[in-house]
Amino acid sequence: MRQFFVLLIFLTLITFTKSFPSSTFRRDSLSGYTQCEGTFPNEITTVSYEPNPAIAGENVTVTIAGMNTVTVQEGATLNATVLYQGKQAFVHNMDFCKVWVEVNGDKCPVSPGYFEYITIMPMESHPDDPKNTTISYDYIFQIYNPGDPKTELTCLKGKFDVSYP
């Protein structure tokens, strides 16, 4: 009889939790980022950075993961466009293979399949930086394969917070 009640409680819990969308219970794996408008062959499904907010003058550890359906070629670039109050503040262009793939022990080309990369990036500071505040920037991350024209593999957009001590 006791086993029956345990089974009944278990089935009730399963029924209760299935009645809610799974997104209600799961953590935002993209940390607020969303895919840009359009279609892209490679999908980033996880984005995170620590510390959050990032701290000017210190390192930030960034993790991305997802699924490639198109090979990432040697010479691929990651372009990070940063906007502040709707205006372009700066653009960072980096060699995706060197900054992301190789520091994780892999090499380009990266064949289709699952990937996960972690990299440490310095958060530069400047004497003119504001003090004792946190600023939320709009970021657009685009990864391109080389060529003419370049092939856009993926695009994400979202907020990136930086604390200025």
Side-chain angles (χ1 to χ4, degrees):
M1 185 71 142
R2 186 175 187 182
Q3 290 175 340
F4 173 75
F5 285 115
V6 170
L7 180 61
L8 183 60
I9 291 170
F10 178 73
L11 291 174
T12 302
L13 286 172
I14 288 175
T15 302
F16 180 73
T17 59
K18 289 283 186 185
S19 65
F20 291 98
S22 61
S23 62
T24 303
F25 294 103
R26 97 181 145 190
R27 190 173 158 237
D28 177 14
S29 63
L30 286 174
S31 301
Y33 284 84
T34 58
Q35 182 173 304
C36 302
E37 291 182 26
T39 57
F40 307 94
N42 295 353
E43 180 182 15
I44 295 177
T45 57
T46 301
V47 174
S48 67
Y49 64 97
E50 291 292 328
N52 184 355
I55 301 169
E58 296 185 14
N59 289 334
V60 62
T61 302
V62 184
T63 302
I64 61 171
M67 186 64 72
N68 287 342
T69 58
V70 171
T71 298
V72 178
Q73 299 171 6
E74 180 70 37
T77 57
L78 185 143
N79 299 339
T81 303
V82 182
L83 307 170
Y84 178 65
Q85 296 180 339
K87 296 184 181 184
Q88 183 174 310
F90 51 90
V91 176
H92 284 295
N93 296 314
M94 62 191 82
D95 185 316
F96 183 75
C97 295
K98 288 183 178 153
V99 176
W100 291 87
V101 178
E102 291 176 13
V103 299
N104 284 274
D106 290 336
K107 291 192 180 263
C108 284
V110 179
S111 299
Y114 176 80
F115 66 88
E116 180 175 4
Y117 300 124
I118 300 170
T119 195
I120 297 172
M121 306 186 103
M123 288 301 305
E124 297 174 5
S125 64
H126 189 273
D128 295 334
D129 284 346
K131 303 287 183 220
N132 302 316
T133 190
T134 299
I135 296 179
S136 185
Y137 295 97
D138 293 308
Y139 265 59
I140 302 169
F141 294 96
Q142 299 163 292
I143 300 174
Y144 292 93
N145 264 341
D148 188 23
K150 294 180 181 178
T151 303
E152 189 170 10
L153 299 175
T154 194
C155 180
L156 287 178
K157 60 184 178 177
K159 301 284 184 188
F160 187 81
D161 298 330
V162 179
S163 174
Y164 296 91

